[in-house]
Amino acid sequence: MSENPSPTLWRRYLNFPLIWKMVIALVGGVAAGLGIAALGLQDTLLPILDPLGEIFLRLLQMVIFPLIVTTLIAGVTSISPKRLGRIGTKIVAFYMVTSAFAVTLGLSIALLVSPGAGLSMPGEPAEAEDVPPVSETLLGIIPANPFEALTEGNVLAVMFCALLFGLALAFMMDSENDAHRDLALLLRRGVEGAMELVFKVIGGILQYAPIGVFALIAVVMAETGFDAIGPLLKLTGVVYGAIILQVVVYLVIMLPFRVRVGRFLVAAKDPVLTGFVTRSSSGTLPVSTRAAERMGVKEGVYGFTLPLGSAINMDGTAIYVGAATVFVANITGVELTLGQIATVVLIGVLASIGTAGVPGAGLLMLSMTITSVGLPMAPVALVAGIDAVLDMARTAGNVAGDLVGTRLVAGSEEGMFQDPDDPAGPEADASATGPDTAPTETSTEPSAPEPPVAADGASVGTRDVT
Ligand code: ASP
């Protein structure tokens, strides 16, 4: 059986970098689709290509719920409630508020630009779903029956349950009661194992992704011709533009706290570029850590805020989810209702917690959002084709967000920031002269706690989701 040449071919396929396989699939799909259209072979070839693309979409949908449940529980339990003192509260609040702002920014710009306008996805009737009012959507977050929420595909309700159970587990892990703590640690190990399993499955699915993307793009191109290229370029412009705007907002936020923006930018340049190139905020962690140190942030802050940020703070990804959801709505001719928009914002924030800082994780988050607002999944394939390009910008945005939060929190805590240009000067910078400067207990804050187990498990930064 070792004479069979196919295993070697398969090995070669597996070893070939996924990002290139996706690029080849994208270009090949475009060429094949245009060729099919030019030769008028739609009736013969599309019935073969269609199911090949559908398989990819179904596989993506299949892993959404296992992924949400495991990564959210792991994410929440990575913060020990005890450690979630003043620094924790500040940084978590910063991460949540900026994520909500980011997803709103992505949504708003995309709603203004309508990146998907002019393109309609073949085979998908532009049917507006019956969307319940906002109050009902919010109430629907608390499921009467979590299993029903799972079978109904209610993403928000499942996220709510995972968060609640995750928090309870975090408290159990911190319990004084030895038996409870042991059980909780066992459960946590189980969740970690399950998460690894889910990532293994995703890894396998993604080996199929190039075939799925090829088929889906070819079908779109065969039916729409060059019409899809303009909208995709527009979407890329919206995502990049919104991320740049978000960075400008960060800089403006820092001004009243008297952060030396020029110095911050010089120090942040390396990690942001690394994030852009590696497409992994978890993988960028060592570079971010060095940058925080160079800025003058003390380990007691960055040792906690940066690993946490790489696991639960994804502003660039939140922007992408907002913009791409509008793109999909445009293509399917659906006018997003206020309730759907509110759902996207909520999911953007919650999924920020549940998304691993690894390449391509945002695509799964997008699939999850699209499912939860009742939009058809088919246009997601178009976005998947250019996902790597979007991932670069959003990862850079994610890394920048973590650094801004870290710098601001360090500046607000006495003894946690030392201006590198002024080593003899007061330890805390001007922003620490707030109401908190009085006798502070922060210096006794556990210094440099070991980094929390990141939401994506042990092999942080090594996993490639697309
Ligand atoms: N690649 C991103 C990150 O590591 C996550 C994403 O895919 O949006 O931060």
Side-chain angles (χ1 to χ4, degrees):
M1 54 185 188
S2 55
E3 306 307 317
N4 190 345
S6 57
T8 326
L9 207 67
W10 177 234
R11 264 282 127 232
R12 272 204 212 151
Y13 177 79
L14 288 182
N15 290 340
F16 196 65
L18 194 55
I19 182 164
W20 289 115
K21 281 188 278 206
M22 295 293 265
V23 170
I24 293 170
L26 175 70
V27 176
V30 170
L34 293 176
I36 291 170
L39 299 172
L41 292 175
Q42 283 95 331
D43 290 346
T44 328
L45 291 181
L46 294 197
I48 302 169
L49 288 172
D50 246 342
L52 287 179
E54 181 67 23
I55 290 175
F56 176 50
L57 297 178
R58 280 174 181 254
L59 287 172
L60 268 185
Q61 279 173 307
M62 189 185 81
V63 285
I64 290 174
F65 284 97
L67 183 74
I68 298 175
V69 173
T70 52
T71 53
L72 259 182
I73 296 182
V76 173
T77 47
S78 69
I79 325 161
S80 136
K82 251 188 211 151
R83 203 182 282 164
L84 197 71
R86 211 161 70 176
I87 293 181
T89 314
K90 278 185 195 172
I91 197 70
V92 170
F94 178 86
Y95 286 159
M96 296 298 107
V97 171
T98 50
S99 293
F101 177 82
V103 67
T104 313
L105 186 68
L107 268 167
S108 314
I109 298 185
L111 283 171
L112 277 178
V113 176
S114 295
L119 179 70
S120 67
M121 202 78 181
E124 282 296 339
E127 87 233 10
E129 303 265 332
D130 246 358
V131 183
V134 185
S135 58
E136 218 171 289
T137 311
L138 291 179
L139 207 62
I141 295 173
I142 306 169
N145 178 350
F147 297 102
E148 201 175 285
L150 262 179
T151 51
E152 278 177 351
N154 185 342
V155 176
L156 276 179
V158 173
M159 282 181 138
F160 176 81
C161 285
L163 266 180
L164 203 68
F165 281 88
L167 271 174
L169 183 58
F171 276 103
M172 257 178 91
M173 282 163 64
D174 239 36
S175 165
E176 305 277 296
N177 182 321
D178 286 350
H180 283 184
R181 209 176 44 244
D182 287 350
L183 282 172
L185 290 173
L186 201 69
L187 263 174
R188 177 61 163 81
R189 295 280 298 159
V191 171
E192 260 175 62
M195 192 170 60
E196 280 303 320
L197 181 67
V198 175
F199 274 106
K200 264 263 173 292
V201 174
I202 292 175
I205 291 174
L206 289 169
Q207 290 304 335
Y208 180 74
I211 300 167
V213 166
F214 171 85
L216 287 157
I217 300 268
V219 171
V220 176
M221 285 297 160
E223 304 209 355
T224 63
F226 284 101
D227 291 356
I229 294 174
L232 283 176
L233 283 178
K234 254 198 208 167
L235 176 66
T236 309
V238 167
V239 171
Y240 273 68
I243 289 172
I244 292 172
L245 240 157
Q246 172 92 5
V247 171
V248 172
V249 171
Y250 288 146
L251 299 182
V252 172
I253 294 175
M254 286 197 285
L255 287 177
F257 293 96
R258 301 209 221 147
V259 175
R260 292 191 192 172
V261 170
R263 158 103 41 73
F264 176 86
L265 287 176
V266 169
K269 177 182 87 270
D270 281 354
V272 169
L273 272 178
T274 310
F276 188 83
V277 179
T278 60
R279 300 184 297 129
S280 167
S281 40
S282 294
T284 304
L285 208 51
V287 189
S288 307
T289 304
R290 206 184 49 187
E293 215 157 51
R294 279 194 184 149
M295 280 175 207
V297 174
K298 296 283 166 153
E299 201 188 358
V301 170
Y302 75 66
F304 173 61
T305 58
L306 286 180
L308 186 68
S310 76
I312 74 159
N313 183 44
M314 308 268 162
D315 294 347
T317 307
I319 285 176
Y320 154 86
V321 165
T325 305
V326 176
F327 178 79
V328 171
N330 290 158
I331 290 180
T332 45
V334 171
E335 195 80 41
L336 287 177
T337 62
L338 217 67
Q340 283 173 311
I341 292 177
T343 308
V344 176
V345 174
L346 248 174
I347 294 201
V349 179
L350 290 179
S352 217
I353 304 172
T355 307
V358 295
L363 183 63
L364 291 156
M365 197 162 133
L366 175 67
S367 314
M368 188 163 102
T369 313
I370 296 299
T371 311
S372 68
V373 288
L375 289 170
M377 275 286 283
V380 172
L382 271 184
V383 183
I386 54 161
D387 194 67
V389 177
L390 302 180
D391 198 4
M392 293 169 98
R394 59 182 197 246
T395 308
N398 294 345
V399 170
D402 298 345
L403 283 166
V404 173
T406 298
R407 173 62 185 83
L408 286 177
V409 170
S412 73
E413 292 286 330
E414 198 171 319
M416 287 294 152
F417 177 80
Q418 171 93 57
D419 190 334
D421 277 355
D422 185 17
E427 281 213 320
D429 74 348
S431 52
T433 49
D436 289 345
T437 13
T440 174
E441 68 277 18
T442 26
S443 38
T444 58
E445 196 90 35
S447 129
E450 74 287 359
V453 180
D456 57 333
S459 51
V460 155
T462 55
R463 213 181 267 126
D464 193 342
V465 179
T466 65

